[in-house]
Structures are given as structure tokens and as C-alpha cells.
Amino acid sequence: MKVKKILISQPQPENEKSPYFDLVSQFNVEIDFKPFIRVQGLTASEFRKQKIYFKDYTAVIFTSKNSVDHFFRLCSEMRYTPPESLKYFCVTEVIALYTQKYIVYRKRKIFFGTRDLTELIDLLKKHSGEKFLIPVSDVCKNEQHQLLEDSKINYTKAVIYKTVHNNLSKMGELDYDMMIFFSPEGIKSLFKNFPAFQQNNMRIGAFGNSTSQAVLDAGLRLDLQAPLPEAPSMAKALEIYLSKNNSGK
């Protein structure tokens, strides 16, 4: 069965050059974007309950743009100005460059890896004298922090934002041939909004191991998974799938 209508459970890309838009014309498919979850920052009063004080730390580990945004937002709300001596360790160069939204990049000590926290560990070990703070969400990946524990990194986890399920009641029936998910919380939101959901012939794709496992744990069939060596992005994985499935090969 050909895939004609796809739901991407994320906001619509602002960049008109997004590869998802290329798939629309290339395979004559319809793609809708609808975020199943959203990020909501903790207020300063909510954060203070953790009894974590930014001034006590000499370095920060950023694993996402959300962690950058909400860290500096809280700094502003709590009237704390990060000193120039504070070091920033980012899992990718993209996130490192994103910090320029809040700091003068060339005047700060910023380090970065190439893909994920695993590749940043050796760099963190070289700065073992630092006291690290890692801003995270309320549904952060435990394996990341186990990695820090195993590597004897002196760190503290600070929850600064949370994941909230969107209300999708206005969507009506899910009349799609395929749905794509990017986090376990997206799967939870699916069943919260559509408790009687039955997969039947609908194809389901998942980005990341934890999301893929959440699909299986929910009793659903996993039809498309990324990243893979030949498909580092979900858009590329979808392109490969459509080229095979919709061509009848």
C-alpha cells in the first residue's frame, strides 16, 4: 500500500528548504506537521525547590538548544549573570554556536563534540577539576547520566524545563498512512489524546532508540527507524522508505 498522507509529530519547519518539503514534490505525498508535545520552562520559584545554585558551578553541559534557552532564561529571572570564567561544554557545534544568542562567543570558554554526550566524555575528563551543571528536562535520558556517573564526572542534574502533552482533540480522526515520532513522550501523547488508537495498516516511524522502544512497548508495529548509517536523519530515512514502498519495488 502506497503512503500518500504523512503526519510529522513536530512543528512545521520554518526553513523553506527543509528536506521534508522536497519529499512532497518528489513523491507526490501530503505531509502535515502537528507537535504532539511542547516544552514548558520551570519558573524561578519552581526551580528553587531543587536547591541548586548556579553560582556554585564552574561549567555547564548543554545537550540541546532547549537547555540553552531555559538556562539563560532562568539566569535572567533569578538575576544571575554567568561570569566570563564559566565554561560551556556542548554536545555539538550547532549548539555551541547557538549560545551566541546569549553570550559573546569569542570571550567565553566553549567546547563542543560532534554528535552526542558519548563523544564529549573525553573532553569532560580533561577538565575533571570543574564542577559541572547539566540542565535537563523532566524526561531526560537516564543513560546519559549513567555515562557521566561511570566516567566519574563531578556533575549535578538540574531540571529546568518539562515536556507537556498537547491537546489534539481538534484533529479528529487520524486518517494518515504514516505517523513519525521523535520521543517516547510523543507516543504517550498519542494514547493520551487517542486512547482507542489502533494501528491497523498505518505505518509508524521513530527517531532514536528510546522512541523506537516506546513504539514497541506500546504494542505498536515499528515500520521505519532512524538514524541509521544510510539514513542519519528522519527525512533521509523517509526518502528511502518512500522510494521503495511507493514505487512498488
Side-chain angles (χ1 to χ4, degrees):
M1 184 183 295
K2 290 186 177 182
V3 172
K4 298 179 180 179
K5 193 173 181 181
I6 304 168
L7 176 64
I8 305 291
S9 61
Q10 284 189 326
Q12 181 167 321
E14 296 180 2
N15 187 348
E16 294 181 356
K17 295 183 179 180
S18 168
Y20 287 116
F21 298 137
D22 293 334
L23 298 179
V24 172
S25 56
Q26 184 178 352
F27 296 100
N28 192 28
V29 295
E30 179 181 345
I31 298 182
D32 290 340
F33 296 90
K34 185 68 177 181
F36 278 44
I37 57 176
R38 69 181 188 279
V39 169
Q40 183 174 302
L42 265 64
T43 64
S45 60
E46 288 174 327
F47 176 75
R48 289 191 181 96
K49 294 177 181 178
Q50 298 177 64
K51 299 189 183 303
I52 294 174
Y53 306 98
F54 291 156
K55 64 180 179 61
D56 293 338
Y57 299 88
T58 59
V60 181
I61 302 172
F62 289 131
T63 58
S64 68
K65 290 182 179 180
N66 277 327
S67 65
V68 175
D69 285 334
H70 290 287
F71 171 76
F72 285 105
R73 175 187 57 78
L74 277 176
C75 285
S76 177
E77 289 182 10
M78 299 171 72
R79 294 182 174 82
Y80 169 73
T81 302
E84 289 193 9
S85 60
L86 187 66
K87 297 178 180 179
Y88 301 93
F89 293 79
C90 307
V91 294
T92 66
E93 184 178 10
V94 170
I95 295 173
L97 293 173
Y98 186 71
T99 62
Q100 294 180 99
K101 184 177 179 181
Y102 302 98
I103 58 177
V104 180
Y105 193 87
R106 60 183 174 79
K107 290 186 177 181
R108 301 302 176 101
K109 297 178 180 178
I110 301 176
F111 310 86
F112 55 85
T114 58
R115 188 178 63 177
D116 55 30
L117 191 58
T118 303
E119 298 180 359
L120 199 63
I121 288 297
D122 287 341
L123 192 55
L124 296 176
K125 287 180 177 178
K126 291 180 181 179
H127 295 264
S128 58
E130 305 295 339
K131 191 174 180 182
F132 294 95
L133 181 74
I134 178 166
V136 298
S137 74
D138 60 332
V139 291
C140 59
K141 299 177 181 179
N142 291 328
E143 58 262 30
Q144 287 188 342
H145 306 298
Q146 189 60 52
L147 181 61
L148 294 172
E149 295 280 352
D150 294 342
S151 303
K152 303 294 190 294
I153 303 297
N154 180 17
Y155 82 99
T156 297
K157 180 175 67 175
V159 176
I160 63 172
Y161 59 97
K162 55 188 175 182
T163 301
V164 180
H165 298 167
N166 282 331
N167 184 346
L168 306 174
S169 59
K170 294 182 179 179
M171 285 184 62
E173 185 179 353
L174 294 174
D175 58 338
Y176 293 92
D177 300 309
M178 174 178 276
M179 293 196 299
I180 307 294
F181 295 92
F182 296 84
S183 77
E185 290 302 308
I187 300 298
K188 292 180 182 178
S189 179
L190 169 66
F191 283 99
K192 181 177 180 180
N193 283 280
F194 306 95
F197 173 75
Q198 296 290 326
Q199 183 176 4
N200 299 321
N201 293 325
M202 184 186 292
R203 267 60 65 87
I204 289 182
F207 189 86
N209 292 332
S210 59
T211 309
S212 298
Q213 189 59 51
V215 170
L216 298 174
D217 290 345
L220 302 174
R221 184 184 64 256
L222 182 62
D223 301 288
L224 176 64
Q225 185 177 9
L228 295 173
E230 67 275 18
S233 69
M234 179 51 75
K236 183 61 178 179
L238 191 54
E239 177 187 349
I240 294 173
Y241 183 90
L242 291 173
S243 65
K244 293 179 179 179
N245 182 83
N246 284 19
S247 66
K249 297 179 180 179

